[in-house]
Amino acid sequence: MEKEAEFCKCNVIHKEVIEKVKPNIPEEKKLEKLETFFKVFGDKTRLKILFALSIQEMCVCDIANLLDMGQSAISHQLRLLKQTNLVKYRKEGKIVYYSLDDSHIEELLTQGIIHIDEKFI
Amino acid sequence: MEKEAEFCKCNVIHKEVIEKVKPNIPEEKKLEKLETFFKVFGDKTRLKILFALSIQEMCVCDIANLLDMGQSAISHQLRLLKQTNLVKYRKEGKIVYYSLDDSHIEELLTQGIIHIDEKFI
DNA sequence: TTAATATATGAATATGTGTTCATATATTAA
DNA sequence: TTAATATATGAACACATATTCATATATTAA
């Protein structure tokens, strides 16, 4: 008896296909990073912050005012963006200025917009 | 009195910055689409499905077996991918074959991988 | 030193999301 | 028709996540 239906009720229909495709799936660790990476873009607030910082650096307070949101909420989101290396910061006295950490990011945002303009409902 | 501290305790520090940046934030509707779009990529299971389908079309059962997951879970995820126009399908009897709907998708996946390889922790 | 202010952060809460389970639907075979 | 099978789907549950609140930290000014 082959390994059958542990999770899936249905039988393996195209075993060759599965064997062919399998080696092309990235390893788990890489997938997790990719998941985290894209997840960061999957939030309106963070997208707004990224678009804003693509224009110029801003301090936390300005971002909060710009987006009409609490300072705490922005700070939490900036922490996430920092952790994923999407933004960097510099301190000037008690003010912290955030900016994009990578020009790739703008490219990715642009590519996203292109896709939704073309295909997305 | 200006509009002050409705949400944010801190004062507006750089009013000009806010005014300069504001017009460059995409409109809410577009942001929501973009959010949804990127959110789809922010899940390991969906990423695996997309990588698999970038090699060749597959039926639901094969995908479930490939990923060692339940048919229902895969079906739910495919629905999401369908709704966001990332995959299309063709029916052959009772078997449904899914495939990528857009070559942009592979590009975006690649760009994601490039980023995490370069910068991401 | 104390007061004021910009930012960070832990906890709580509300909301969103992925998987499972049970079951429905659709198609083919008998 | 009935049985078998591939897929779809609603509901439930467990878990993740965004924001708020309260408060801590850090820096500057007085």
Side-chain angles (χ1 to χ4, degrees):
Chain A
M1 253 175 293
E2 308 231 343
K3 184 181 89 175
E4 56 174 346
E6 282 175 304
F7 286 95
C8 180
K9 270 184 318 210
C10 50
N11 305 309
V12 176
I13 301 179
H14 310 93
K15 197 150 190 164
E16 352 71 60
V17 173
I18 295 177
E19 292 313 315
K20 177 186 170 193
V21 166
K22 195 171 269 174
N24 293 287
I25 310 290
E27 50 168 2
E28 202 67 10
K29 196 141 193 156
K30 192 161 236 171
L31 280 168
E32 273 162 28
K33 286 186 186 178
L34 212 51
E35 179 187 43
T36 307
F37 176 68
F38 282 119
K39 205 173 279 184
V40 179
F41 291 90
D43 177 82
K44 254 198 302 184
T45 300
R46 289 191 293 268
L47 283 173
K48 284 179 192 169
I49 294 175
L50 291 174
F51 276 111
L53 298 184
S54 77
I55 306 299
Q56 83 160 79
E57 68 168 12
M58 292 181 79
C59 70
V60 180
C61 227
D62 288 346
I63 299 174
N65 277 285
L66 171 68
L67 305 187
D68 214 23
M69 287 176 65
Q71 170 271 322
S72 178
I74 301 301
S75 199
H76 278 297
Q77 295 296 10
L78 284 170
R79 185 156 56 107
L80 229 161
L81 291 168
K82 221 186 321 176
Q83 281 168 357
T84 48
N85 288 310
L86 296 186
V87 303
K88 57 181 189 293
Y89 67 96
R90 67 181 181 85
K91 252 181 137 173
E92 202 171 275
K94 55 191 167 192
I95 303 178
V96 181
Y97 291 95
Y98 283 87
S99 58
L100 288 194
D101 191 13
D102 190 335
S103 56
H104 288 228
I105 298 163
E106 294 176 66
E107 241 177 277
L108 225 131
L109 290 173
T110 306
Q111 201 155 345
I113 289 187
I114 289 172
H115 180 89
I116 64 170
D117 281 347
E118 279 181 12
K119 284 231 102 180
F120 211 72
I121 295 167
Chain B
M1 248 174 297
E2 307 231 341
K3 185 182 90 177
E4 56 173 347
E6 280 175 304
F7 285 96
C8 182
K9 272 184 313 206
C10 51
N11 306 308
V12 176
I13 301 179
H14 310 93
K15 199 150 188 166
E16 350 73 59
V17 173
I18 295 178
E19 291 314 315
K20 177 185 169 194
V21 166
K22 198 172 265 174
N24 292 286
I25 310 289
E27 50 168 2
E28 201 68 9
K29 196 142 190 153
K30 193 162 235 173
L31 280 168
E32 272 162 29
K33 286 185 187 178
L34 211 50
E35 179 186 41
T36 307
F37 176 68
F38 281 120
K39 206 173 278 183
V40 179
F41 291 91
D43 178 80
K44 253 197 307 184
T45 301
R46 290 192 292 269
L47 283 172
K48 285 179 192 169
I49 295 175
L50 291 174
F51 277 111
L53 298 184
S54 77
I55 306 299
Q56 82 159 80
E57 67 168 13
M58 292 181 78
C59 69
V60 180
C61 227
D62 288 345
I63 298 174
N65 276 284
L66 171 68
L67 305 187
D68 213 24
M69 289 177 64
Q71 170 270 320
S72 178
I74 301 300
S75 199
H76 279 296
Q77 296 295 11
L78 284 169
R79 185 156 56 108
L80 229 161
L81 292 168
K82 222 186 318 177
Q83 281 169 354
T84 48
N85 289 310
L86 297 186
V87 303
K88 58 182 189 292
Y89 66 96
R90 67 183 179 84
K91 251 181 139 175
E92 202 170 275
K94 56 190 165 191
I95 302 179
V96 181
Y97 290 95
Y98 283 87
S99 57
L100 289 195
D101 192 12
D102 191 336
S103 56
H104 288 228
I105 298 162
E106 294 176 68
E107 241 178 278
L108 225 130
L109 290 173
T110 307
Q111 200 154 344
I113 288 187
I114 288 172
H115 180 88
I116 62 170
D117 281 345
E118 280 181 13
K119 285 231 100 184
F120 212 72
I121 299 166

